[in-house]
Structures are given as structure tokens and as C-alpha cells.
């Protein structure tokens, strides 16, 4: 941050809650510089605008899709660390699966997270490795066939665990839900596994905030990405297009419209 300030930057976007303390300190010492910070809303300063995302809305769609597409009737989600930018995905995923059960009379179980208790399974870090692999393996052994690991590279360990499970149980169709970006596009070794991904529109958020600042309209009011402003969403089904239930895409469009209209409330304690 100091290097950028020394270079004359008068608008800066920092990324991630771990930079909150440094951003707050720099903003206080440089009141003529505007800052925005992604995935953190803890800073109360005239020259800091939070950029946050109500990813629970999009994860709701993904949870519904996972429940509809599961063959075993068991799906799972877990996280790297128990923090709001992680649990907001897990909340939406579980709530979407529960909505599927309510609407269809289904009985799909979701392992790994209890929305009401705000408690569940976490690897303890965002690192791919033995702990992340063991967590994924445990859920697969509990009959989960579609999983959503939340927290950066831990999805790589989930993919590895699924490949092992595929070899051991070739009759089961395993899949994953990615988070943040369309992992079908960025994780080619596991692209065939991705039912969809929950998208966090950091590009849309940053563009909106930076253009407003350039126009002289900077505000410290939080930017919140939602389904309505395309700040969150879900990716295409890609290779799963022919595998998901017929009419699922239309159902998701209807649910999306209802969430935007407020007819369906996605009640996540982690929502901004």
C-alpha cells in the first residue's frame, strides 16, 4: 500500500479481509486518498468504501441445483475457515437445498453445515493438502455425490478425493460446485466435475466503485453485489448440461426472479 501511495495513487482497491487493518491505517493517514476493500465491511471511514457480495443469493441457486441433480440424495459443503466470507456461501447452499425439498417433497440431506447453529466442518486453513483431502473423503464416504468446498485451493483436494471415489465407485456420478469464479474455466483438470460455480462479481463491483470515483462521486456507502445488479450469480452447467434434470434451468430462472423481487428471502446471518 505504501509503495502505491508513494507512486501517486489516489484511488486504491485492496482485496480481502486480511488487509482490513492495513487499509484502515493507510486511509486514516491519507485522508485525501480513496480506498475500496473487497470482502470486508469493518472499516468506518469517509474515504473507504466496502465492496461486499451477497453470495448467499447465488449459492441458494447452486444448492437447489445440487439437490435436484444428486443421485444419492446426499450433498455436502465445508469451508476453509469459519468466517463470514466463507459461511455466506454455505448458508445459501443449505437454504437452496432445503427449498428444493420444500418445493418437491424431496429429502436431500446436506452434510457439513447447520445454518441455524452457524456451525459445521472446517479444514482450518485455505490450503490444499492432506487435511482438505481427508475432509472431502469423509463426506464422499458418507454418500455425498455433489460437494461444495469453500475456500480457495481446498477444492483441488476435493477434486483429488473425487477422482479416488470415482475409481472405487464408478456407478456414482460425482460433482462439485465451485466458488468465487467459474472453476470450469480455470481448473481444467477437474472441469468435468463442476455442476456449476457460485460467482462473485468482483469485476462488476470494482468497475462500479472506480468509475464512480473517477466521476467525482466516491461514497463510503458499501457496494453490495446481488443477483439484481449482477454482482453475484452462477455459472453455466457446461459438461453437466445434459446431466441435470430437464427444466432445471427454467426453475432456477424463476427462483432468481423471486429472490430479486423479495418473494424468496435468503436469510443468511453472514449477508452484508
Amino acid at each position: 500500500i505504501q509503495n502505491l501511495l508513494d507512486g501517486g495513487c489516489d484511488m486504491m482497491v485492496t482485496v480481502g479481509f486480511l488487509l482490513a487493518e492495513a487499509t484502515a491505517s493507510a486511509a486514516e493517514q491519507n485522508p485525501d486518498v480513496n480506498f475500496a476493500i473487497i470482502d470486508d465491511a469493518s472499516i468506518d471511514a469517509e474515504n473507504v468504501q466496502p465492496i461486499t457480495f451477497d453470495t448467499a443469493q447465488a449459492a441458494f441457486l447452486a444448492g437447489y441445483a445440487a439437490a435436484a441433480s444428486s443421485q444419492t440424495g446426499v450433498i455436502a459443503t465445508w469451508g476453509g475457515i469459519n468466517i463470514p466470507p466463507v459461511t455466506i456461501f454455505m448458508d445459501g447452499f443449505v437454504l437452496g437445498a432445503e427449498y428444493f425439498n420444500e418445493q418437491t417433497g424431496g429429502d436431500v440431506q446436506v452434510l457439513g453445515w447447520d445454518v441455524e447453529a452457524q456451525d459445521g466442518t472446517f479444514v482450518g486453513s485455505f490450503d490444499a493438502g492432506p487435511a482438505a483431502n481427508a475432509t472431502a473423503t469423509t463426506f464422499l464416504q458418507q454418500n455425498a455425490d455433489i460437494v461444495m468446498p469453500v475456500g480457495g485451493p481446498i477444492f483441488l483436494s476435493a477434486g483429488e478425493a473425487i477422482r479416488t471415489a470415482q475409481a472405487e465407485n464408478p456407478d456414482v456420478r460425482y460433482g462439485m460446485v465451485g466458488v468465487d469464479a467459474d472453476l470450469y474455466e480455470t481448473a481444467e483438470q477437474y472441469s468435468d466435475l463442476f455442476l456449476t460455480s457460485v460467482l462473485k462479481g468482483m469485476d462488476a463491483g470494482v468497475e462500479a466503485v472506480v468509475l464512480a470515483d473517477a466521476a467525482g462521486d466516491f461514497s463510503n456507502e458499501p457496494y453490495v453485489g446481488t443477483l439484481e445488479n449482477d454482482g453475484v450469480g452462477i455459472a453455466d452447467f457446461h459438461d453437466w448440461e445434459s446431466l441435470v434434470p430437464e427444466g432445471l434451468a427454467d426453475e432456477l430462472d424463476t427462483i432468481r426472479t423471486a429472490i430479486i423481487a423479495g418473494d424468496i428471502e435468503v436469510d443468511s446471518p453472514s449477508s452484508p
Side-chain angles (χ1 to χ4, degrees):
I1 291 175
Q2 190 58 53
N3 285 340
L4 295 173
L5 290 168
D6 292 343
C9 288
D10 59 5
M11 171 65 189
M12 194 179 309
V13 181
T14 58
V15 183
F17 66 97
L18 292 175
L19 288 177
E21 183 177 348
T23 302
S25 176
E28 183 178 7
Q29 296 171 31
N30 299 274
D32 294 332
V33 176
N34 290 332
F35 293 81
I37 181 168
I38 293 175
D39 275 348
D40 181 84
S42 67
I43 303 171
D44 183 13
E46 289 296 322
N47 59 332
V48 179
Q49 182 171 20
I51 301 176
T52 58
F53 303 90
D54 196 351
T55 42
Q57 293 186 350
F60 188 98
L61 301 177
Y64 186 98
S69 303
S70 173
Q71 293 180 318
T72 64
V74 181
I75 60 179
T77 183
W78 64 94
I81 300 174
N82 190 346
I83 53 174
V86 170
T87 58
I88 189 172
F89 284 94
M90 300 164 73
D91 285 340
F93 188 77
V94 172
L95 293 171
E98 290 177 348
Y99 185 75
F100 171 82
N101 288 337
E102 292 170 9
Q103 295 298 303
T104 66
D107 188 28
V108 176
Q109 294 179 271
V110 188
L111 307 178
W113 184 241
D114 184 323
V115 176
E116 185 174 348
Q118 287 291 286
D119 189 33
T121 301
F122 295 90
V123 176
S125 76
F126 295 126
D127 297 328
N133 183 280
T135 300
T137 298
T138 296
F139 286 122
L140 297 172
Q141 290 175 342
Q142 292 175 339
N143 216 29
D145 60 350
I146 299 178
V147 301
M148 186 179 74
V150 184
I154 66 172
F155 81 85
L156 295 169
S157 294
E160 180 183 339
I162 288 176
R163 290 296 191 221
T164 300
Q166 284 177 320
E168 296 173 350
N169 306 288
D171 293 333
V172 178
R173 186 183 69 206
Y174 293 100
M176 274 198 290
V177 173
V179 301
D180 289 339
D182 187 352
L183 297 187
Y184 178 91
E185 304 286 356
T186 59
E188 293 184 3
Q189 69 272 44
Y190 298 124
S191 61
D192 60 299
L193 299 181
F194 286 106
L195 164 65
T196 186
S197 293
V198 181
L199 307 177
K200 183 186 292 184
M202 287 178 278
D203 52 352
V206 170
E207 180 180 34
V209 169
V210 171
L211 289 179
D213 178 69
D217 296 324
F218 181 85
S219 166
N220 66 348
E221 181 179 347
Y223 168 93
V224 180
T226 64
L227 289 176
E228 184 173 13
N229 63 17
D230 293 324
V232 297
I234 60 171
D236 293 338
F237 292 135
H238 298 298
D239 292 353
W240 280 68
E241 189 72 46
S242 63
L243 303 176
V244 300
E246 186 177 355
L248 177 60
D250 291 336
E251 292 175 38
L252 294 176
D253 283 342
T254 299
I255 294 169
R256 180 182 183 277
T257 299
I259 292 173
I260 292 171
D263 297 330
I264 296 176
E265 293 186 12
V266 184
D267 189 14
S268 166
S270 298
S271 290

